[in-house]
Amino acid sequence: MPDPAVPPTPPVPLTALLAREDLGLRQLAGPPAEGVVVHWVHTSEMADPYPYLLGGELLLSAGVHIPEAAGPGTSYFDDYVSRIVAAGGAALGFGVAPVHDTVPEALVAACASHGLPLLEVPPRTTFSGVARAVWQLMARARLAELRRVTEAQQSLATAASRPDPVPSVLRQLAQRLGGWAVLYGPEGTEIAGAGREPGDEARAALTRLGEVVRPVRQTPQAGSAVSAGTAGTRSGAPGAGTRSGAPGAGVRPDHPTPPPNTASTTSPARRTDPTGTRPAEPGDALRPDHPTPPPNPASRAGSATGATRPAEPDAARAASPPGTASRASAASPPGTASRASAAGTRQAGSGAGRAGARADVAPDRPALVPPADPGRPAPSSATDSVAGLHLAAYSLGAGHGFVLGVAAPQRTAGDHTVASVAAVLLSLLTGEQQSGTGAARSSALVRMLLGVPPEEVASLLGDGPWVVVRARPDGDGAPDPVAASALGAALGSALVDPAGDVVRVLVPADRAPADPLPGWTLGISSAVEPEDWPAADTQAARALARARATRAPLLRHGARPAFADLVPPGEAAAHARALLAPVTAHPALTETLRTWLSLHGSWDRTAVALSVHRNTVRQRIARCAALLATDLDDPDVRMELWFALRHI
């Protein structure tokens, strides 16, 4: 049966039509109405309606075309129903009166034999009334779908603005789809996930499906690895039921077949041998006893017969047991070829396939497989069905390698749109910010590692002074790397360092945040030149501590002339070391004393700033007073100690 040309409107369940009391329809034959959908309505009195059907129709007829000689002993009704089924018709509605008083028994038997739902349309119901009911149900379904998609867009956008945007978006997506949502990193590892986790089989299948849409990075040696087979369009063999290859993806002179290799990876997926003699296994094209047919420029997937090229395993089918349905998403541009099958094979060192989480590749050498045709990128999305779950994978960004995976127990209208919105948001959250090119940042890092002073490489990162921003998320827990990247995106800088429970961001001074960021507490240094970056980091740390202690969302370091500037730095440092020698051997005491003095001796605010109990602060300050042999309640002593602490 050919696939119907599905219109851009939601289908109508046949059960919804049967439930309409105003229509009075009654099913007489065929499979149960559950699972049968109608895409449109068509009325025809042709004896052979095949040329006039697109597929998916509820065909309405009053039996005008039935000859008087037609009866149980003739093949008329069998031929008539078989042509409707061959055209992809969804159901047949037979109108009783004015031509026939009852539905012919031979028609009932033919529909039962061919598995076509047969509905009796009573005399009081017109065909136009049935058509109007279908359009009404479609309009309601479309409105419900648009409302659902709009609400999902709003909730996903709200989740993206939270302090933990990536986990929030994944949680909201999983809730909207009633399944599991996961973000894969460039190397295929799970970065974050939310929702009801699927079983191991579906989880592994989704991981492999992500490899189909992940952009391929080239190896340094040209031709060191080749992909085996492409996936994404339907095989031209009638009734094949699988979708593999792409137009023009057959055996071509400019894409030679890899040499024989017996180490090819296998999978549960099976293929049909072109000769039809036996089921072929994945990797047969690379086995010496199954030589590959010679190059044939005329071989093309989607040809009339589909027998001129060897069948290739579907990229998504490799992730599922035999018999499960899979397809490459139509979201790819027309003519785009999917990447190599996850169950296919390639020549890369040992020749093992890409499936199986790259078990054959050393950890420091990721599997890099060039596409079969560099001019045809990997599809932007792909779908599969495994273990009763609908799987989908979406490529994020402009080739950075992040992939969104979704596993849901059912796939309803609008799910693809909702997942696509989440994919766009995640692309923005995981995308690299171009405050400077990646090459320039890499060059600056390498030069500093090799001993070049920061001020000499700062020109590679941008012009002008800089500020250091220290940020800590509200609530408990350390920020994850993706949340830190999102913070850098909000600040307009890709120079981000997630250091424990604090994120440090190096930002050009003209981009320093003027307003607080929701979900974050910020401490900002004064604008400095590159040679003063370490001092600016200290300023930002102190500003952040004071901001957390005073519960201010943003606090800047205030730089102004002070009496301390009258003392030469060398003498001030020597005096500080001598004065604070008893406590500098204990970093915890030094930091507690510094914070306590900066907060004017407040026990509670110091405890908040240091994330310790107030009794711990009291004990540490008492210990400092004992080691320094001084009275910390004396304001002159406090002033002298504060002066000294600023110079160590």
Side-chain angles (χ1 to χ4, degrees):
M1 180 185 300
D3 291 338
V6 179
T9 54
V12 174
L14 188 58
T15 53
L17 278 178
L18 293 173
R20 292 279 297 254
E21 295 183 359
D22 58 322
L23 298 179
L25 303 179
R26 185 166 63 98
Q27 184 173 356
L28 302 180
E34 291 77 7
V36 179
V37 296
V38 174
H39 291 285
W40 34 42
V41 178
H42 180 65
T43 301
S44 174
E45 296 297 342
M46 303 295 295
D48 182 10
Y50 182 92
Y52 310 99
L53 301 181
L54 296 176
E57 295 95 346
L58 168 60
L59 178 63
L60 300 176
S61 173
V64 177
H65 57 87
I66 301 176
E68 294 182 1
T74 65
S75 63
Y76 179 83
F77 290 105
D78 189 76
D79 294 340
Y80 176 70
V81 173
S82 65
R83 294 292 283 172
I84 298 175
V85 173
L92 172 63
F94 192 88
V96 177
V99 182
H100 297 270
D101 295 333
T102 60
V103 180
E105 292 295 335
L107 178 60
V108 176
C111 289
S113 175
H114 289 277
L116 179 67
L118 175 62
L119 310 182
E120 180 189 71
V121 183
R124 64 181 176 85
T125 302
T126 62
F127 287 176
S128 60
V130 176
R132 180 177 61 182
V134 170
W135 308 140
Q136 289 174 346
L137 292 172
M138 282 186 176
R140 294 174 186 174
R142 182 60 172 170
L143 180 60
E145 176 186 341
L146 292 176
R147 183 182 295 112
R148 173 173 175 263
V149 170
T150 301
E151 293 174 353
Q153 288 176 337
Q154 295 173 348
S155 61
L156 289 170
T158 301
S161 64
R162 293 176 57 85
D164 53 343
V166 170
S168 297
V169 169
L170 293 176
R171 284 194 299 269
Q172 190 60 230
L173 178 61
Q175 178 181 349
R176 291 287 172 177
L177 301 185
W180 188 54
V182 59
L183 176 65
Y184 296 107
E187 300 303 325
T189 57
E190 294 181 9
I191 296 179
R196 294 176 297 186
E197 296 188 11
D200 294 339
E201 181 184 5
R203 193 165 188 161
L206 187 59
T207 301
R208 291 194 293 269
L209 193 62
E211 296 298 318
V212 177
V213 300
R214 178 172 289 109
V216 181
R217 295 168 292 167
Q218 301 291 339
T219 53
Q221 296 82 12
S224 61
V226 295
S227 61
T230 56
T233 58
R234 288 179 295 166
S235 171
T242 62
R243 300 184 176 187
S244 61
V251 181
R252 293 164 48 175
D254 55 339
H255 291 80
T257 302
N261 185 350
T262 58
S264 303
T265 301
T266 61
S267 79
R270 302 183 69 85
R271 300 180 295 172
T272 301
D273 189 78
T275 63
T277 57
R278 70 166 187 87
E281 300 292 340
D284 278 355
L286 303 182
R287 291 167 53 179
D289 55 339
H290 291 85
T292 303
N296 182 1
S299 297
R300 294 291 185 267
S303 62
T305 64
T308 57
R309 62 187 296 273
E312 297 173 355
D314 188 296
R317 184 175 294 276
S320 59
T324 54
S326 61
R327 70 176 187 273
S329 171
S332 304
T336 299
S338 304
R339 209 172 55 194
S341 164
T345 54
R346 71 175 188 274
Q347 286 295 103
S350 65
R354 186 170 188 137
R358 306 178 184 173
D360 59 307
V361 183
D364 58 341
R365 295 188 61 187
L368 308 178
V369 186
D373 187 345
R376 293 177 176 173
S380 59
S381 64
T383 60
D384 192 10
S385 297
V386 174
L389 293 177
H390 296 270
L391 311 181
Y394 300 84
S395 178
L396 305 184
H400 298 309
F402 289 92
V403 172
L404 168 64
V406 175
Q410 60 183 2
R411 188 171 181 85
T412 59
D415 283 359
H416 176 73
T417 303
V418 172
S420 297
V421 171
V424 171
L425 292 173
L426 292 173
S427 297
L428 298 175
L429 294 172
T430 58
E432 184 179 16
Q433 300 301 311
Q434 301 301 321
S435 60
T437 64
R441 286 196 298 275
S442 298
S443 177
L445 175 61
V446 170
R447 294 187 189 184
M448 285 191 288
L449 290 175
L450 295 179
V452 177
E455 57 269 21
E456 295 185 16
V457 300
S459 59
L460 296 173
L461 304 175
D463 299 328
W466 298 76
V467 298
V468 175
V469 177
R470 280 200 173 224
R472 184 164 178 170
D474 297 342
D476 300 330
D480 59 84
V482 179
S485 177
L487 173 65
L491 297 176
S493 175
L495 303 173
V496 181
D497 173 31
D501 57 354
V502 174
V503 179
R504 299 186 299 177
V505 187
L506 192 59
V507 181
D510 57 350
R511 301 181 191 171
D515 300 315
L517 294 179
W520 294 90
T521 300
L522 305 180
I524 306 173
S525 73
S526 59
V528 299
E529 295 300 327
E531 58 269 19
D532 294 325
W533 282 345
D537 184 39
T538 302
Q539 294 175 358
R542 294 174 181 171
L544 176 61
R546 289 182 58 82
R548 296 189 68 245
T550 58
R551 291 178 172 81
L554 183 149
L555 195 63
R556 299 177 183 276
H557 174 78
R560 61 181 181 179
F563 287 111
D565 298 331
L566 302 177
V567 180
E571 296 181 12
H575 172 73
R577 287 193 298 270
L579 179 62
L580 298 173
V583 297
T584 52
H586 309 280
L589 296 180
T590 305
E591 185 62 24
T592 301
L593 180 60
R594 186 197 310 277
T595 305
W596 183 74
L597 290 175
S598 71
L599 298 175
H600 311 290
S602 172
W603 309 107
D604 292 335
R605 290 192 294 170
T606 302
V608 171
L610 297 177
S611 299
V612 298
H613 195 274
R614 64 195 308 269
N615 290 339
T616 302
V617 176
R618 289 183 178 276
Q619 294 172 2
R620 290 179 181 178
I621 295 302
R623 178 65 173 162
C624 289
L627 291 175
L628 295 173
T630 187
D631 182 10
L632 295 183
D633 291 331
D634 188 334
D636 290 334
V637 173
R638 292 190 181 188
M639 180 180 64
E640 185 178 8
L641 291 175
W642 180 250
F643 174 87
L645 286 168
R646 296 185 61 188
H647 291 84
I648 61 170

